[in-house]
Amino acid sequence: MKTERKLSLKSYEDIFSTEEMRQDDKREKVMDLSVSDLHPFKNHPFKVLDDDKMRDTVQSIREHGVLVPVLVRPQPDGGYEIVSGHRRHRACLLAGIETIPAIVREMDDDAAILVMVDSNMQRESILPSERAWAYRMKYEALKRQGGRSDLTSSQLGTKFQRADEIIAEQAGSSRNQIQRLIRLTHLVPALLDMVDIKKVAFNPAVELSYLKPDEQTNLLDAIESEQSTPSLSQAQRMKKFSAEGSLTLDMMRAILSEEKKPVRRQVVINLEELKDKIPPNYTDEQIQQVLVKLFTQWAQKQNKQQER
């Protein structure tokens, strides 16, 4: 089911000539589509979670409706593929809302990928796996398009560039860092999940991505048995042995067992130096909670800088 809604709020007969009316008819219009007719983007790299943010979105939609239309493209076999607005679509499903405002746009696969990736990169929090797969999809789409910067959603000019250069320039990063992020897509899913939860650090993960899939599966067994994940130097050694064709499960276990697990550190803080910054009624537990929160925010900022 779809109901067409024109974006203009005034009557065309009052303000437009016949020619202007014909031009306006060509403009994109917001249409009310059935939520059940919309389907997720193929291989959508961004997770749509039923978390606290989703619950807030559901409540907002129940109270105010969907304020920003989703962007979709028609499918040959019927229905529409969501290009931008997966969270809004999911929230409508959870809220029991049957229709959603949408802009329908004809796009080929590569153009749709570019819009999908760029629109989702505006999110506040993006997992390494999401960023890696999104950049890979965009990289491959740009290569198929010939690396033309004028085909991206954020135009950089008309000169021809390498696909990774275009992505790096738009992301405010380096070509090398984009390539390293894309390398993460060569990890088996279980290892990539470990990167998302910070069990395996980014730099070692890049090195481990060069291991063959069966070697990565063996590494998961080694990590489990040794209760240890590779450091950067250990991952580099595994990569070297893999290239030589000599990396075995026993060798991985031996490498992981070389370094002892880090000793849990305890830091003593002289609160006298912070007495003018801490409310006098704060308990030790409250002070500890504040410090943990501050260090968590600092770590998140550092991780974002490393990903660029």
Side-chain angles (χ1 to χ4, degrees):
M1 180 186 74
K2 63 181 180 181
T3 304
E4 187 174 295
R5 295 191 297 175
K6 294 191 175 182
L7 291 174
S8 175
L9 298 179
K10 295 185 178 180
S11 170
Y12 291 131
E13 289 79 3
D14 292 338
I15 59 176
F16 290 130
S17 67
T18 303
E19 178 60 28
E20 288 172 329
M21 289 172 62
R22 281 199 292 265
Q23 291 299 320
D24 186 80
D25 285 340
K26 296 178 182 178
R27 298 172 187 169
E28 291 180 327
K29 300 175 177 65
V30 177
M31 311 174 81
D32 286 331
L33 301 180
S34 173
V35 171
S36 61
D37 287 341
L38 273 58
H39 311 291
F41 197 91
K42 183 179 179 182
N43 298 323
H44 190 248
F46 298 94
K47 295 178 173 63
V48 179
L49 305 175
D50 292 342
D51 53 12
D52 290 339
K53 289 184 178 180
M54 177 60 73
R55 283 185 281 275
D56 290 342
T57 302
V58 170
Q59 185 61 32
S60 175
I61 286 177
R62 282 176 176 157
E63 295 177 359
H64 309 291
V66 178
L67 302 180
V68 180
V70 299
L71 177 63
V72 302
R73 63 173 182 157
Q75 294 296 279
D77 55 351
Y80 302 87
E81 182 179 53
I82 305 170
V83 178
S84 176
H86 289 76
R87 295 187 75 258
R88 279 163 279 165
H89 177 254
R90 175 61 179 167
C92 284
L93 288 172
L94 294 175
I97 295 176
E98 296 182 353
T99 62
I100 186 171
I103 294 174
V104 180
R105 183 181 300 172
E106 293 282 354
M107 287 180 279
D108 62 27
D109 291 345
D110 290 334
I113 286 173
L114 298 180
V115 174
M116 180 274 295
V117 170
D118 287 349
S119 62
N120 280 280
M121 279 299 178
Q122 308 305 317
R123 294 185 179 188
E124 293 181 3
S125 179
I126 303 177
L127 294 171
S129 63
E130 295 174 321
R131 195 180 298 273
W133 277 108
Y135 282 157
R136 177 170 173 175
M137 291 177 71
K138 183 172 182 176
Y139 174 80
E140 292 174 348
L142 286 171
K143 285 189 66 176
R144 288 191 293 268
Q145 297 276 27
R148 284 174 50 193
S149 60
D150 58 325
L151 291 175
T152 65
S153 60
S154 300
Q155 293 188 13
L156 299 173
T158 57
K159 66 180 180 179
F160 285 79
Q161 294 176 280
R162 288 177 53 122
D164 50 5
E165 288 177 342
I166 294 173
I167 297 173
E169 189 168 344
Q170 293 177 347
S173 184
S174 67
R175 183 163 60 87
N176 179 62
Q177 185 66 4
I178 297 300
Q179 291 174 337
R180 285 162 58 78
L181 276 162
I182 293 175
R183 277 301 318 174
L184 295 183
T185 63
H186 295 275
L187 292 171
V188 296
L191 272 178
L192 189 51
D193 287 343
M194 288 185 176
V195 180
D196 279 345
I197 62 175
K198 305 185 186 306
K199 189 172 182 179
V200 174
F202 175 76
N203 288 330
V206 173
E207 303 299 318
L208 296 175
S209 70
Y210 289 92
L211 272 57
K212 302 176 183 66
D214 60 321
E215 293 172 336
Q216 293 185 37
T217 301
N218 284 339
L219 176 59
L220 291 168
D221 291 338
I223 289 173
E224 177 66 25
S225 63
E226 298 303 319
Q227 289 296 293
S228 178
T229 56
S231 64
L232 177 58
S233 62
Q234 289 175 330
Q236 289 170 334
R237 290 175 61 193
M238 291 181 188
K239 175 185 174 182
K240 177 177 179 294
F241 288 131
S242 174
E244 296 172 351
S246 59
L247 184 62
T248 64
L249 175 58
D250 288 340
M251 183 179 291
M252 292 181 196
R253 288 172 174 164
I255 291 174
L256 290 178
S257 65
E258 287 175 351
E259 294 183 6
K260 295 181 179 179
K261 297 181 181 65
V263 178
R264 186 175 180 180
R265 296 187 301 170
Q266 290 186 341
V267 179
V268 178
I269 298 177
N270 184 359
L271 295 182
E272 279 297 314
E273 298 177 3
L274 301 173
K275 63 181 181 180
D276 59 333
K277 300 177 178 62
I278 300 175
N281 60 332
Y282 263 41
T283 65
D284 290 349
E285 183 178 356
Q286 288 175 310
I287 294 172
Q288 181 177 342
Q289 290 174 348
V290 170
L291 291 174
V292 169
K293 183 177 180 180
L294 289 173
F295 272 101
T296 300
Q297 292 173 343
W298 175 84
Q300 291 173 344
K301 182 177 180 181
Q302 292 294 110
N303 289 333
K304 287 181 179 179
Q305 291 176 346
Q306 290 176 1
E307 290 176 357
R308 291 181 177 177

